[in-house]
PDB file of all heavy atoms in Angstrom:
ATOM      1  N   GLU Y 204     -31.987   7.294   7.331  1.00 66.00           N
ATOM      2  CA  GLU Y 204     -33.334   7.836   7.543  1.00 66.00           C
ATOM      3  C   GLU Y 204     -33.215   9.269   8.041  1.00 66.00           C
ATOM      4  O   GLU Y 204     -32.532   9.545   9.021  1.00 66.00           O
ATOM      5  CB  GLU Y 204     -34.100   7.001   8.572  1.00 66.00           C
ATOM      6  CG  GLU Y 204     -34.509   5.634   8.077  1.00 66.00           C
ATOM      7  CD  GLU Y 204     -35.687   5.687   7.115  1.00 66.00           C
ATOM      8  OE1 GLU Y 204     -36.518   6.604   7.217  1.00 66.00           O
ATOM      9  OE2 GLU Y 204     -35.757   4.803   6.260  1.00 66.00           O
ATOM     10  N   GLY Y 205     -33.858  10.177   7.361  1.00 70.00           N
ATOM     11  CA  GLY Y 205     -33.788  11.583   7.735  1.00 70.00           C
ATOM     12  C   GLY Y 205     -34.867  11.965   8.723  1.00 70.00           C
ATOM     13  O   GLY Y 205     -35.784  11.198   9.024  1.00 70.00           O
ATOM     14  N   LEU Y 206     -34.755  13.151   9.217  1.00 75.00           N
ATOM     15  CA  LEU Y 206     -35.725  13.688  10.164  1.00 75.00           C
ATOM     16  C   LEU Y 206     -36.427  14.868   9.514  1.00 75.00           C
ATOM     17  O   LEU Y 206     -35.824  15.618   8.749  1.00 75.00           O
ATOM     18  CB  LEU Y 206     -35.031  14.125  11.452  1.00 75.00           C
ATOM     19  CG  LEU Y 206     -34.267  13.033  12.191  1.00 75.00           C
ATOM     20  CD1 LEU Y 206     -33.512  13.625  13.373  1.00 75.00           C
ATOM     21  CD2 LEU Y 206     -35.207  11.949  12.660  1.00 75.00           C
ATOM     22  N   LEU Y 207     -37.680  15.056   9.835  1.00 82.00           N
ATOM     23  CA  LEU Y 207     -38.462  16.157   9.297  1.00 82.00           C
ATOM     24  C   LEU Y 207     -38.651  17.231  10.361  1.00 82.00           C
ATOM     25  O   LEU Y 207     -38.752  16.920  11.552  1.00 82.00           O
ATOM     26  CB  LEU Y 207     -39.831  15.651   8.847  1.00 82.00           C
ATOM     27  CG  LEU Y 207     -39.807  14.651   7.699  1.00 82.00           C
ATOM     28  CD1 LEU Y 207     -41.199  14.069   7.488  1.00 82.00           C
ATOM     29  CD2 LEU Y 207     -39.309  15.303   6.436  1.00 82.00           C
ATOM     30  N   PRO Y 208     -38.704  18.499   9.940  1.00 86.00           N
ATOM     31  CA  PRO Y 208     -38.932  19.566  10.910  1.00 86.00           C
ATOM     32  C   PRO Y 208     -40.348  19.488  11.483  1.00 86.00           C
ATOM     33  O   PRO Y 208     -41.310  19.233  10.762  1.00 86.00           O
ATOM     34  CB  PRO Y 208     -38.736  20.847  10.101  1.00 86.00           C
ATOM     35  CG  PRO Y 208     -38.942  20.452   8.686  1.00 86.00           C
ATOM     36  CD  PRO Y 208     -38.562  19.001   8.580  1.00 86.00           C
ATOM     37  N   LYS Y 209     -40.456  19.675  12.777  1.00 92.00           N
ATOM     38  CA  LYS Y 209     -41.737  19.689  13.487  1.00 92.00           C
ATOM     39  C   LYS Y 209     -41.705  20.810  14.516  1.00 92.00           C
ATOM     40  O   LYS Y 209     -40.642  21.335  14.848  1.00 92.00           O
ATOM     41  CB  LYS Y 209     -41.972  18.352  14.221  1.00 92.00           C
ATOM     42  CG  LYS Y 209     -42.019  17.133  13.331  1.00 92.00           C
ATOM     43  CD  LYS Y 209     -43.280  17.107  12.512  1.00 92.00           C
ATOM     44  CE  LYS Y 209     -43.332  15.846  11.650  1.00 92.00           C
ATOM     45  NZ  LYS Y 209     -44.531  15.802  10.841  1.00 92.00           N
ATOM     46  N   LEU Y 210     -42.852  21.159  15.033  1.00 97.00           N
ATOM     47  CA  LEU Y 210     -42.961  22.103  16.141  1.00 97.00           C
ATOM     48  C   LEU Y 210     -43.709  21.420  17.272  1.00 97.00           C
ATOM     49  O   LEU Y 210     -44.666  20.678  17.039  1.00 97.00           O
ATOM     50  CB  LEU Y 210     -43.719  23.359  15.722  1.00 97.00           C
ATOM     51  CG  LEU Y 210     -43.056  24.232  14.668  1.00 97.00           C
ATOM     52  CD1 LEU Y 210     -43.964  25.404  14.310  1.00 97.00           C
ATOM     53  CD2 LEU Y 210     -41.709  24.737  15.134  1.00 97.00           C
ATOM     54  N   VAL Y 211     -43.275  21.670  18.492  1.00 98.00           N
ATOM     55  CA  VAL Y 211     -43.973  21.168  19.667  1.00 98.00           C
ATOM     56  C   VAL Y 211     -44.628  22.374  20.340  1.00 98.00           C
ATOM     57  O   VAL Y 211     -43.943  23.304  20.774  1.00 98.00           O
ATOM     58  CB  VAL Y 211     -43.014  20.459  20.647  1.00 98.00           C
ATOM     59  CG1 VAL Y 211     -43.782  19.957  21.863  1.00 98.00           C
ATOM     60  CG2 VAL Y 211     -42.266  19.325  19.959  1.00 98.00           C
ATOM     61  N   ILE Y 212     -45.937  22.358  20.383  1.00 98.00           N
ATOM     62  CA  ILE Y 212     -46.696  23.426  21.028  1.00 98.00           C
ATOM     63  C   ILE Y 212     -47.119  22.899  22.394  1.00 98.00           C
ATOM     64  O   ILE Y 212     -47.843  21.910  22.484  1.00 98.00           O
ATOM     65  CB  ILE Y 212     -47.923  23.824  20.197  1.00 98.00           C
ATOM     66  CG1 ILE Y 212     -47.484  24.255  18.793  1.00 98.00           C
ATOM     67  CG2 ILE Y 212     -48.714  24.919  20.902  1.00 98.00           C
ATOM     68  CD1 ILE Y 212     -48.634  24.454  17.831  1.00 98.00           C
ATOM     69  N   SER Y 213     -46.646  23.550  23.455  1.00 98.00           N
ATOM     70  CA  SER Y 213     -46.936  23.111  24.821  1.00 98.00           C
ATOM     71  C   SER Y 213     -47.796  24.145  25.520  1.00 98.00           C
ATOM     72  O   SER Y 213     -47.589  25.351  25.350  1.00 98.00           O
ATOM     73  CB  SER Y 213     -45.636  22.937  25.615  1.00 98.00           C
ATOM     74  OG  SER Y 213     -44.783  22.023  24.986  1.00 98.00           O
ATOM     75  N   MET Y 214     -48.751  23.650  26.311  1.00 97.00           N
ATOM     76  CA  MET Y 214     -49.592  24.560  27.078  1.00 97.00           C
ATOM     77  C   MET Y 214     -50.188  23.832  28.269  1.00 97.00           C
ATOM     78  O   MET Y 214     -50.310  22.600  28.256  1.00 97.00           O
ATOM     79  CB  MET Y 214     -50.700  25.134  26.200  1.00 97.00           C
ATOM     80  CG  MET Y 214     -51.671  24.102  25.706  1.00 97.00           C
ATOM     81  SD  MET Y 214     -52.667  24.678  24.329  1.00 97.00           S
ATOM     82  CE  MET Y 214     -51.485  24.537  23.027  1.00 97.00           C
ATOM     83  N   ILE Y 215     -50.526  24.590  29.281  1.00 95.00           N
ATOM     84  CA  ILE Y 215     -51.211  24.062  30.455  1.00 95.00           C
ATOM     85  C   ILE Y 215     -52.632  24.622  30.424  1.00 95.00           C
ATOM     86  O   ILE Y 215     -52.824  25.827  30.247  1.00 95.00           O
ATOM     87  CB  ILE Y 215     -50.516  24.497  31.766  1.00 95.00           C
ATOM     88  CG1 ILE Y 215     -49.021  24.176  31.740  1.00 95.00           C
ATOM     89  CG2 ILE Y 215     -51.214  23.868  32.972  1.00 95.00           C
ATOM     90  CD1 ILE Y 215     -48.682  22.721  31.606  1.00 95.00           C
ATOM     91  N   VAL Y 216     -53.613  23.741  30.582  1.00 95.00           N
ATOM     92  CA  VAL Y 216     -55.006  24.183  30.538  1.00 95.00           C
ATOM     93  C   VAL Y 216     -55.751  23.677  31.767  1.00 95.00           C
ATOM     94  O   VAL Y 216     -55.378  22.668  32.359  1.00 95.00           O
ATOM     95  CB  VAL Y 216     -55.730  23.704  29.257  1.00 95.00           C
ATOM     96  CG1 VAL Y 216     -55.073  24.259  28.015  1.00 95.00           C
ATOM     97  CG2 VAL Y 216     -55.817  22.196  29.191  1.00 95.00           C
ATOM     98  N   GLU Y 217     -56.792  24.386  32.121  1.00 93.00           N
ATOM     99  CA  GLU Y 217     -57.680  23.924  33.184  1.00 93.00           C
ATOM    100  C   GLU Y 217     -58.442  22.714  32.655  1.00 93.00           C
ATOM    101  O   GLU Y 217     -58.684  22.594  31.455  1.00 93.00           O
ATOM    102  CB  GLU Y 217     -58.646  25.041  33.572  1.00 93.00           C
ATOM    103  CG  GLU Y 217     -57.951  26.258  34.158  1.00 93.00           C
ATOM    104  CD  GLU Y 217     -58.921  27.385  34.452  1.00 93.00           C
ATOM    105  OE1 GLU Y 217     -60.134  27.107  34.636  1.00 93.00           O
ATOM    106  OE2 GLU Y 217     -58.473  28.531  34.502  1.00 93.00           O
ATOM    107  N   ASN Y 218     -58.824  21.820  33.540  1.00 94.00           N
ATOM    108  CA  ASN Y 218     -59.509  20.590  33.134  1.00 94.00           C
ATOM    109  C   ASN Y 218     -60.747  20.856  32.283  1.00 94.00           C
ATOM    110  O   ASN Y 218     -61.015  20.133  31.329  1.00 94.00           O
ATOM    111  CB  ASN Y 218     -59.880  19.752  34.356  1.00 94.00           C
ATOM    112  CG  ASN Y 218     -58.661  19.176  35.047  1.00 94.00           C
ATOM    113  OD1 ASN Y 218     -57.595  19.042  34.453  1.00 94.00           O
ATOM    114  ND2 ASN Y 218     -58.808  18.835  36.309  1.00 94.00           N
ATOM    115  N   ASN Y 219     -61.478  21.916  32.604  1.00 94.00           N
ATOM    116  CA  ASN Y 219     -62.704  22.193  31.867  1.00 94.00           C
ATOM    117  C   ASN Y 219     -62.447  22.740  30.455  1.00 94.00           C
ATOM    118  O   ASN Y 219     -63.372  22.818  29.656  1.00 94.00           O
ATOM    119  CB  ASN Y 219     -63.609  23.150  32.649  1.00 94.00           C
ATOM    120  CG  ASN Y 219     -62.987  24.509  32.863  1.00 94.00           C
ATOM    121  OD1 ASN Y 219     -61.798  24.712  32.654  1.00 94.00           O
ATOM    122  ND2 ASN Y 219     -63.796  25.448  33.298  1.00 94.00           N
ATOM    123  N   MET Y 220     -61.217  23.112  30.141  1.00 94.00           N
ATOM    124  CA  MET Y 220     -60.857  23.611  28.805  1.00 94.00           C
ATOM    125  C   MET Y 220     -60.165  22.552  27.950  1.00 94.00           C
ATOM    126  O   MET Y 220     -59.863  22.800  26.783  1.00 94.00           O
ATOM    127  CB  MET Y 220     -59.938  24.827  28.928  1.00 94.00           C
ATOM    128  CG  MET Y 220     -60.623  26.084  29.365  1.00 94.00           C
ATOM    129  SD  MET Y 220     -61.760  26.713  28.106  1.00 94.00           S
ATOM    130  CE  MET Y 220     -60.621  27.226  26.836  1.00 94.00           C
ATOM    131  N   LEU Y 221     -59.944  21.369  28.502  1.00 96.00           N
ATOM    132  CA  LEU Y 221     -59.144  20.354  27.806  1.00 96.00           C
ATOM    133  C   LEU Y 221     -59.733  19.957  26.457  1.00 96.00           C
ATOM    134  O   LEU Y 221     -59.072  20.074  25.428  1.00 96.00           O
ATOM    135  CB  LEU Y 221     -58.967  19.124  28.697  1.00 96.00           C
ATOM    136  CG  LEU Y 221     -58.133  17.996  28.085  1.00 96.00           C
ATOM    137  CD1 LEU Y 221     -56.709  18.447  27.842  1.00 96.00           C
ATOM    138  CD2 LEU Y 221     -58.165  16.778  28.988  1.00 96.00           C
ATOM    139  N   GLU Y 222     -60.971  19.499  26.436  1.00 97.00           N
ATOM    140  CA  GLU Y 222     -61.569  19.010  25.185  1.00 97.00           C
ATOM    141  C   GLU Y 222     -61.691  20.117  24.143  1.00 97.00           C
ATOM    142  O   GLU Y 222     -61.426  19.900  22.959  1.00 97.00           O
ATOM    143  CB  GLU Y 222     -62.927  18.359  25.451  1.00 97.00           C
ATOM    144  CG  GLU Y 222     -62.826  17.038  26.178  1.00 97.00           C
ATOM    145  CD  GLU Y 222     -61.941  16.010  25.486  1.00 97.00           C
ATOM    146  OE1 GLU Y 222     -62.013  15.882  24.248  1.00 97.00           O
ATOM    147  OE2 GLU Y 222     -61.159  15.350  26.191  1.00 97.00           O
ATOM    148  N   LYS Y 223     -62.070  21.295  24.579  1.00 97.00           N
ATOM    149  CA  LYS Y 223     -62.216  22.435  23.658  1.00 97.00           C
ATOM    150  C   LYS Y 223     -60.867  22.786  23.028  1.00 97.00           C
ATOM    151  O   LYS Y 223     -60.779  23.092  21.837  1.00 97.00           O
ATOM    152  CB  LYS Y 223     -62.781  23.625  24.444  1.00 97.00           C
ATOM    153  CG  LYS Y 223     -63.255  24.763  23.619  1.00 97.00           C
ATOM    154  CD  LYS Y 223     -63.923  25.801  24.523  1.00 97.00           C
ATOM    155  CE  LYS Y 223     -64.569  26.882  23.713  1.00 97.00           C
ATOM    156  NZ  LYS Y 223     -65.244  27.875  24.550  1.00 97.00           N
ATOM    157  N   THR Y 224     -59.799  22.728  23.817  1.00 97.00           N
ATOM    158  CA  THR Y 224     -58.456  23.039  23.325  1.00 97.00           C
ATOM    159  C   THR Y 224     -57.988  21.979  22.342  1.00 97.00           C
ATOM    160  O   THR Y 224     -57.433  22.306  21.277  1.00 97.00           O
ATOM    161  CB  THR Y 224     -57.474  23.163  24.503  1.00 97.00           C
ATOM    162  OG1 THR Y 224     -57.972  24.136  25.422  1.00 97.00           O
ATOM    163  CG2 THR Y 224     -56.103  23.583  24.034  1.00 97.00           C
ATOM    164  N   ILE Y 225     -58.206  20.719  22.665  1.00 98.00           N
ATOM    165  CA  ILE Y 225     -57.818  19.631  21.763  1.00 98.00           C
ATOM    166  C   ILE Y 225     -58.551  19.761  20.429  1.00 98.00           C
ATOM    167  O   ILE Y 225     -57.942  19.635  19.360  1.00 98.00           O
ATOM    168  CB  ILE Y 225     -58.105  18.263  22.418  1.00 98.00           C
ATOM    169  CG1 ILE Y 225     -57.174  18.044  23.603  1.00 98.00           C
ATOM    170  CG2 ILE Y 225     -57.958  17.128  21.398  1.00 98.00           C
ATOM    171  CD1 ILE Y 225     -57.558  16.870  24.475  1.00 98.00           C
ATOM    172  N   GLU Y 226     -59.838  20.027  20.480  1.00 98.00           N
ATOM    173  CA  GLU Y 226     -60.625  20.190  19.254  1.00 98.00           C
ATOM    174  C   GLU Y 226     -60.100  21.349  18.405  1.00 98.00           C
ATOM    175  O   GLU Y 226     -60.037  21.253  17.176  1.00 98.00           O
ATOM    176  CB  GLU Y 226     -62.099  20.410  19.593  1.00 98.00           C
ATOM    177  CG  GLU Y 226     -62.785  19.174  20.124  1.00 98.00           C
ATOM    178  CD  GLU Y 226     -64.187  19.452  20.644  1.00 98.00           C
ATOM    179  OE1 GLU Y 226     -64.733  20.553  20.390  1.00 98.00           O
ATOM    180  OE2 GLU Y 226     -64.743  18.564  21.315  1.00 98.00           O
ATOM    181  N   ALA Y 227     -59.697  22.439  19.046  1.00 97.00           N
ATOM    182  CA  ALA Y 227     -59.176  23.597  18.322  1.00 97.00           C
ATOM    183  C   ALA Y 227     -57.860  23.253  17.610  1.00 97.00           C
ATOM    184  O   ALA Y 227     -57.642  23.650  16.463  1.00 97.00           O
ATOM    185  CB  ALA Y 227     -58.968  24.769  19.273  1.00 97.00           C
TER     186      ALA Y 227
END
């Protein structure tokens, strides 16, 4: 079984920006 290339995008957000960031 092979592996596929992926990217992990990490960020820290304020609680009030969480849903907006996820939607984006």
Side-chain angles (χ1 to χ4, degrees):
E204 289 285 331
L206 301 174
L207 296 171
K209 299 289 182 181
L210 295 177
V211 180
I212 303 171
S213 302
M214 64 196 77
I215 308 299
V216 299
E217 296 176 24
N218 291 338
N219 63 347
M220 286 292 291
L221 181 64
E222 290 304 318
K223 192 174 187 179
T224 305
I225 292 168
E226 289 172 12

